Amino acid sequence: MIVPWVPAPGDLVKDSDGRIGEALAWVGPMGTVTLVSLRDGELWETDTFGPASDLDELRALLLKVVRQ
């Protein structure tokens, strides 16, 4: 049995639409994760996701630096 990746709060997550957000909560029975957008703070839930790539993480870091 393969255990799916479960994001911890604060992990960067990429959904099936290519949007990247920071994980806020995992709903185990539903298999969904609640994410917050790094751009505008919008919340959304998805059940199709994976960990952000190294390039995605670099982009997120640059976005934070530019906003400071």
Side-chain angles (χ1 to χ4, degrees), residues 46-68:
T46 183
D47 60 359
T48 52
F49 59 88
S53 70
D54 290 342
L55 183 56
D56 295 328
E57 291 194 23
L58 179 59
R59 288 179 179 143
L61 178 62
L62 288 173
L63 185 61
K64 286 181 183 181
V65 168
V66 168
R67 291 193 169 184
Q68 291 181 351

Side-chain angles (χ1 to χ4, degrees), residues 5-15 21-37 42-50:
W5 176 71
V6 176
D11 283 350
L12 287 181
V13 177
K14 188 175 203 175
D15 73 8
E22 187 174 315
L24 293 180
W26 164 257
V27 182
M30 300 299 291
T32 60
V33 63
T34 302
L35 302 171
V36 60
S37 170
E42 176 188 352
L43 297 176
W44 81 96
E45 290 185 348
T46 183
D47 60 359
T48 52
F49 59 88

